Amino acid sequence: MGSSGFDGRVAVVAGGATGLGAATAVRLGAQGYRVVVGDLRESAAAGTAETIAAAGGEALAVAFDLADPASIAELFAAAGRRFGGVDALFNVGADMRTLRHDTDIVDIDLDVWDRVMTVSLRGYLSAMKNAIPSMLARGGGAIVNMSSAAAFQGEPTRPAYAASKAGIGALTRHVATRWGREGIRCNAVAPGFTATDAIRSAPQWPDLEKAALGRMHSPRVGEPGDVAALVAFLLSDEGAWINGQIVNIDGGTILR
């Protein structure tokens, strides 16, 4: 959408309370988007919206749950009531509580598998299902989905997480091929190790950073602003000829 910003286009960040979602929401607000910050944690979403407003932008915080289709529909209805529709969508939410239980396919509890797929795959599908009609009515739009380097590399753990992220690639290509000629672009970003505030505050941070640097071809680990910059570009008019792609942003961890 708008490369120079300040044109009043509307962006929904589905999972914008903290981390990569918050960093992207703030960047989009600075570029002139009216931002709908959706998250399960309403108070944290409101904090992100307040940061956008304090910088001179316009934002709305909405409590919603990626596991609940009715809640997702209400997120987009709220965007319509406040701003008239949706031009851009960043799907970034996840239930990170499942990661420690996402063991391997022999030991994993199937409820954990189902929860990951419900939030990170069906939830993204539901968000796009609600966004696309609004985008079509407004002449087109752009979507970015959060994938992960885990979609491209084998790991001894996190099979549900990796499978959901690989599935996001398939959904992304589907949307790009189905609606690309009608002006809707859909891409995904696949970050590697990115040092969010939550990761930096972990007691094992020095060891995590050292291990991550050992896997990448970069002098530093990723920062939320790195991912936010890429998402903003893919949503912008400057990214208008990019469609159906999964873009790795991982300091050269995966070379393909």
Side-chain angles (χ1 to χ4, degrees), residues 26-66:
V26 170
R27 185 180 182 103
L28 293 174
Q31 292 185 344
Y33 291 85
R34 293 175 290 171
V35 184
V36 179
V37 183
D39 205 281
L40 189 63
R41 297 158 293 180
E42 185 174 11
S43 61
T48 301
E50 289 166 6
T51 298
I52 294 169
E58 190 173 359
L60 170 69
V62 178
F64 93 109
D65 183 354
L66 271 169

Side-chain angles (χ1 to χ4, degrees), residues 72-83 130:
I72 295 169
E74 176 54 29
L75 171 67
F76 288 90
R81 289 192 299 268
R82 176 70 175 269
F83 297 128
N130 282 273

